[in-house]
């Protein structure tokens, strides 16, 4: 595989295979260790390809070592700590939302009680007004009767005035004779 022949372009790939690798292998993976995302250094291989025309894509592979058990433990602790912080924040936010909703419900309940008191007062005042109107109704009826009588008396007064003018005219006519 000589270093002299690989003076051309070398491609270093860590982790998941490139499109070039997949095309060479028919899209498949080269074993269980080729799965990416298992953690830092886990399942990652280093591949190098030569673009030298004399060497038709010679490849070399070196398997990376798995991290020490202490690193995985520390990473797990860190992950659980961050997850606990995240969940605590979510639960705190939800709890605060419920407290806000509870306060809004209390204020709404107080507003409805105030509106109920106002409606009761309006109802009571309306009943009082209706009762007073009922008490005044006979007097209003008497006023209507008096108004009709005044209108009839006024008509009689006009007729009497017209009759007196006729009488005066006849008297003057008789007096001239």
């Amino acid at each position: 595989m000589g270093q002299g022949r690989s003076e051309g372009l070398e491609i270093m790939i860590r982790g998941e295979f490139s499109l070039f690798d997949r095309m060479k292998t028919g899209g498949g993976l080269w074993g269980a260790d080729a799965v990416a995302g298992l953690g830092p250094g886990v399942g990652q291989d280093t591949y190098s390809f030569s673009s030298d025309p004399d060497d038709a894509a010679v490849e070399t592979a070196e398997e990376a070592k798995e991290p020490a058990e202490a690193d995985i433990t520390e990473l797990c602790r860190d992950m659980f700590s961050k997850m606990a912080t995240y969940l605590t924040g979510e639960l705190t936010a939800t709890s605060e939302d419920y407290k806000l909703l509870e306060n809004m419900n209390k204020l709404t309940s107080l507003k409805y009680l105030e509106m109920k008191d106002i409606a009761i007062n309006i109802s009571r005042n309306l009943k009082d007004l209706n009762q007073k109107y009922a008490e005044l109704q006979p007097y209003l009826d008497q006023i209507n009767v008096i108004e009709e009588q005044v209108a009839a008396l006024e008509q009689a007064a006009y007729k009497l005035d017209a009759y007196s003018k006729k009488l005066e005219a006849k008297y003057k006519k008789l007096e001239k004779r």
Side-chain angles (χ1 to χ4, degrees):
M1 307 206 192
Q3 292 290 343
R5 285 206 250 159
S6 61
E7 290 177 6
L9 179 63
E10 282 195 16
I11 302 171
M12 298 295 292
I13 301 172
R14 292 191 52 79
E16 193 174 349
F17 298 106
S18 71
L19 179 61
F20 179 73
D21 294 332
R22 289 182 186 169
M23 287 172 46
K24 278 180 57 180
T25 62
L29 297 177
W30 291 340
D33 289 339
V35 178
L38 294 177
V42 176
Q44 294 183 350
D45 295 334
T46 304
Y47 300 95
S48 64
F49 299 98
S50 173
S51 64
D52 190 358
D54 295 336
D55 191 13
V58 174
E59 59 185 76
T60 60
E62 296 176 22
E63 186 172 327
K65 296 179 183 175
E66 289 189 14
E69 186 69 30
D71 289 342
I72 292 175
T73 305
E74 185 60 35
L75 289 173
C76 286
R77 282 189 184 135
D78 186 44
M79 179 194 68
F80 283 120
S81 170
K82 289 179 180 177
M83 186 62 93
T85 303
Y86 169 75
L87 291 175
T88 301
E90 285 292 316
L91 292 175
T92 301
T94 302
S95 174
E96 292 298 320
D97 287 345
Y98 281 124
K99 285 179 184 176
L100 176 64
L101 189 59
E102 181 182 7
N103 288 338
M104 288 172 58
N105 284 339
K106 286 179 182 177
L107 288 174
T108 303
S109 175
L110 290 175
K111 272 293 187 193
Y112 281 132
L113 287 175
E114 288 176 13
M115 289 170 51
K116 177 185 169 191
D117 291 341
I118 290 171
I120 288 172
N121 287 336
I122 289 173
S123 175
R124 187 179 312 126
N125 289 337
L126 186 59
K127 286 179 184 177
D128 289 345
L129 283 175
N130 284 337
Q131 183 182 3
K132 288 178 182 179
Y133 182 77
E135 290 173 2
L136 287 176
Q137 189 62 42
Y139 299 111
L140 294 173
D141 291 340
Q142 286 178 0
I143 290 172
N144 287 338
V145 169
I146 291 171
E147 186 180 0
E148 290 172 2
Q149 289 175 352
V150 167
L153 187 60
E154 187 179 9
Q155 289 299 321
Y158 286 133
K159 287 180 183 179
L160 186 61
D161 186 45
Y163 182 71
S164 66
K165 285 182 184 177
K166 282 183 186 179
L167 244 149
E168 183 183 357
K170 279 186 181 183
Y171 176 74
K172 285 187 182 180
K173 192 178 187 184
L174 282 174
E175 196 177 73
K176 282 188 184 180
R177 282 196 209 175

